[in-house]
Amino acid sequence: MKKLLILLLALCMVASLAACGEQSGNNNNPGNNTTPRVGFTFTYKGTKIAINDDAAPIVAALGTPMSYTEEASCAFDGTSKKYYYGSFYLETYPMDGKDLVFGFWFVDDSIATEEGIYIGATQPQVDNAYGAAAFNGINAYTITKGEDVLTIILEDGLVSSIQYQLALG
């Protein structure tokens, strides 16, 4: 359990550092929900969540988080926000006067990706869901879909971390 906590903290730090990288001009209208969506989605208690979605209706639908933090965004102009809902975190970024979904990551096995992968799933299950070609040969899968990046970390052949985020750069 201690290893898992350390791994999750390390992933959070990596995500925060990635967010501090310079934003490239490759973002195709972040937050513009009028264009066809190409990317990952996650549904929690009937609420569909996707990268670059307007966070306000999502946060309203999810209800009061167990915890909430804010910090100055180092990749965007404004404040990034993190909401903790018990089984996952939701992170937002500011853009054009709105908070948009930057990413979300799972912290327990009570929820799963749309493809059925959960913390504790086996490597063969991940291969079946996302393809063995996405595996880095060591301990991680990285799957890119549109502007979204899904990272799945394995520890001892089992999924220990699932994280979705906006690709920066």
Side-chain angles (χ1 to χ4, degrees):
M1 186 60 144
K2 187 175 179 180
K3 278 184 178 181
L4 179 60
L5 181 59
I6 291 170
L7 179 63
L8 287 173
L9 290 173
L11 282 172
C12 290
M13 287 177 18
V14 168
S16 294
L17 289 174
C20 290
E22 187 174 323
Q23 182 184 9
S24 77
N26 295 339
N27 245 355
N28 297 328
N29 300 322
N32 181 354
N33 293 331
T34 61
T35 58
R37 171 110 179 88
V38 177
F40 295 103
T41 60
F42 161 61
T43 303
Y44 182 72
K45 295 184 178 179
T47 301
K48 189 168 274 200
I49 304 167
I51 305 298
N52 277 334
D53 276 356
D54 183 347
I58 293 169
V59 169
L62 293 175
T64 304
M66 295 177 79
S67 71
Y68 168 80
T69 59
E70 291 184 2
E71 61 185 37
S73 176
C74 54
F76 302 95
D77 186 27
T79 303
S80 294
K81 300 172 183 173
K82 290 182 186 152
Y83 302 83
Y84 174 58
Y85 289 100
S87 297
F88 73 100
Y89 283 89
L90 173 72
E91 185 173 0
T92 69
Y93 71 98
M95 180 66 68
D96 298 329
K98 291 185 187 180
D99 289 329
L100 304 179
V101 175
F102 176 76
F104 39 94
W105 59 97
F106 301 173
V107 296
D108 66 31
D109 63 357
S110 69
I111 55 177
T113 67
E114 298 289 340
E115 296 78 18
I117 300 303
Y118 54 92
I119 292 178
T122 66
Q123 185 169 357
Q125 288 173 301
V126 180
D127 282 346
N128 287 335
Y130 299 105
F135 186 61
N136 71 359
I138 301 170
N139 70 335
Y141 289 80
T142 303
I143 304 100
T144 302
K145 193 174 187 183
E147 297 176 326
D148 304 357
V149 177
L150 167 60
T151 304
I152 299 172
I153 305 292
L154 301 175
E155 187 175 323
D156 299 326
L158 300 175
V159 173
S160 62
S161 175
I162 299 171
Q163 179 177 341
Y164 298 84
Q165 74 178 49
L166 175 66
L168 293 177

